[in-house]
């Protein structure tokens, strides 16, 4: 679950990602009206195990149009449905990302991937670099990069029809193209050899560890969005095997992984002829591995 205290800085909109700051006045208005939230809501949420019960009560009340609507949202949350799926949005990199049921909820650790990708894009001379958000889920990574490092020629792809549909809701207002299909298969042929940055958050949880994940994830998100195969690296191997056909000269692949798996991910990219560099953050418990052609190796540092 995304940090609820941060999510309070976002507010609802039906027009794709919006800056969190744009909703702060609305949130303050809700707070003023809700000094005493609907009686019993926070207590019911706390009894169900919600750590930030008061904050969640305020968010659910802000989202509900009626008392009956609030009761339904509370019922869904108490049943174990992730807060972001109940609300219909998640805060990510200061944006409100629309989220649908049975679609992977963007994680706060993935903000590290975005910031590394943005730093890489800023180091390039391209006026409008071509970026592909592969295994895009909601399209959160692409949307954040467009906000932080745009303008971009942005494409996103996911094999899951529900994820692709959700990504279109987030990315179409930004002028991005969303493609539905397995990895590179749905990408336009014209992108071959033109992609400046391929940014990927493919599933990397080993199959045997799925059962240890929080119920909100393993019960309410698609297994395919979590399961990375026996060692968690199956999808990463497939991504690495095909990426050089799509990268521009000096183009790069930046892939999220775990801190534990990062050396293995780097070895996979190196085996496919890419120069590699590993970035990690203890604070976020996050890691990203960069794979770049020799022509772009100098720009990949920093």
């Amino acid at each position: 679950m995304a940090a609820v205290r941060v999510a309070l800085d976002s507010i609802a909109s039906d027009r794709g990602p919006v800056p969190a700051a744009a909703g702060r006045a609305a949130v303050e208005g809700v707070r003023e009206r809700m000094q005493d939230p609907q009686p019993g809501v926070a207590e019911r949420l706390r009894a169900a195990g919600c750590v930030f019960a008061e904050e969640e009560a305020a968010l659910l009340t802000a989202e509900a149009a009626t008392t009956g609507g609030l009761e339904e949202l509370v019922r869904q949350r108490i049943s174990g449905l992730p807060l972001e799926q109940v609300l219909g949005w998640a805060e990510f990199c200061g944006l409100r990302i629309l989220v649908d049921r049975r679609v992977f909820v963007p994680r706060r650790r993935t903000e590290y991937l975005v910031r590394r990708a943005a730093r890489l894009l800023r180091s390039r001379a391209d006026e409008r670099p071509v970026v592909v958000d592969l295994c895009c889920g909601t399209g959160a990574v692409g949307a954040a990069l467009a906000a932080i490092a745009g303008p971009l020629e942005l494409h996103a792809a996911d094999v899951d029809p529900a994820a692709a549909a959700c990504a279109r809701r987030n990315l179409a207002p930004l002028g991005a193209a969303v493609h539905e299909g397995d990895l590179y298969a749905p990408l336009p042929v014209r992108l071959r050899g033109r992609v400046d940055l391929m940014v990927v958050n493919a599933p990397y949880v080993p199959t045997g560890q799925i059962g240890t994940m929080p119920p909100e994830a393993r019960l309410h998100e698609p297994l395919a969005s979590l399961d990375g195969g026996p060692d968690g690296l199956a999808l990463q191997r497939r991504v690495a095997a095909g990426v050089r056909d799509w990268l521009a000269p000096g183009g790069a692949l930046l892939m999220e992984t775990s801190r534990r798996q990062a050396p293995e991910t780097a070895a996979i990219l190196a085996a496919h002829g890419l120069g590699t560099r590993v970035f990690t953050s203890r604070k976020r418990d996050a890691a990203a591995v960069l794979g770049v052609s020799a022509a772009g190796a100098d720009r990949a540092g920093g």
Side-chain angles (χ1 to χ4, degrees), residues 197-279:
L197 178 63
M198 185 81 64
V199 61
V200 184
N201 184 16
Y204 54 85
V205 178
T207 302
Q209 294 181 17
I210 297 295
T212 67
M213 297 185 70
E216 288 186 343
R218 57 183 168 81
L219 297 180
H220 297 286
E221 292 178 314
L223 181 62
S225 72
L226 306 171
D227 192 343
D231 63 355
L233 305 175
L235 267 293
Q236 294 186 5
R237 292 187 181 92
R238 292 185 58 208
V239 170
V243 72
R244 291 182 66 185
D245 292 337
W246 297 90
L247 293 181
L253 164 68
L254 188 66
M255 185 180 299
E256 178 170 303
T257 190
S258 70
R259 290 167 60 199
R260 178 184 60 80
Q261 294 164 308
E264 296 172 87
T265 300
I268 289 170
L269 301 191
H272 288 279
L274 299 175
T276 63
R277 181 168 180 182
V278 174
F279 302 100

Side-chain angles (χ1 to χ4, degrees), residues 45-96:
L45 294 171
R46 189 178 300 106
C50 299
V51 176
F52 300 109
E54 286 78 11
E55 288 87 346
E56 291 198 18
L59 286 165
L60 294 173
T61 303
E63 199 68 26
T66 65
T67 300
L70 174 60
E71 177 60 29
E72 175 59 19
L73 295 180
V74 172
R75 184 195 66 77
Q76 292 174 13
R77 182 66 182 119
I78 288 175
S79 75
L81 199 67
L83 176 65
E84 295 85 358
Q85 292 185 5
V86 175
L87 294 172
W89 55 268
E91 198 277 341
F92 184 79
C93 286
L95 300 175
R96 193 186 70 86

Side-chain angles (χ1 to χ4, degrees), residues 15 19 26 56 73 107 112 114 177 204 224 280 285:
R15 299 180 181 177
E56 291 198 18
L73 295 180
R107 306 303 202 252
Y112 183 71
V114 170
Y204 54 85
T280 62
D285 189 25

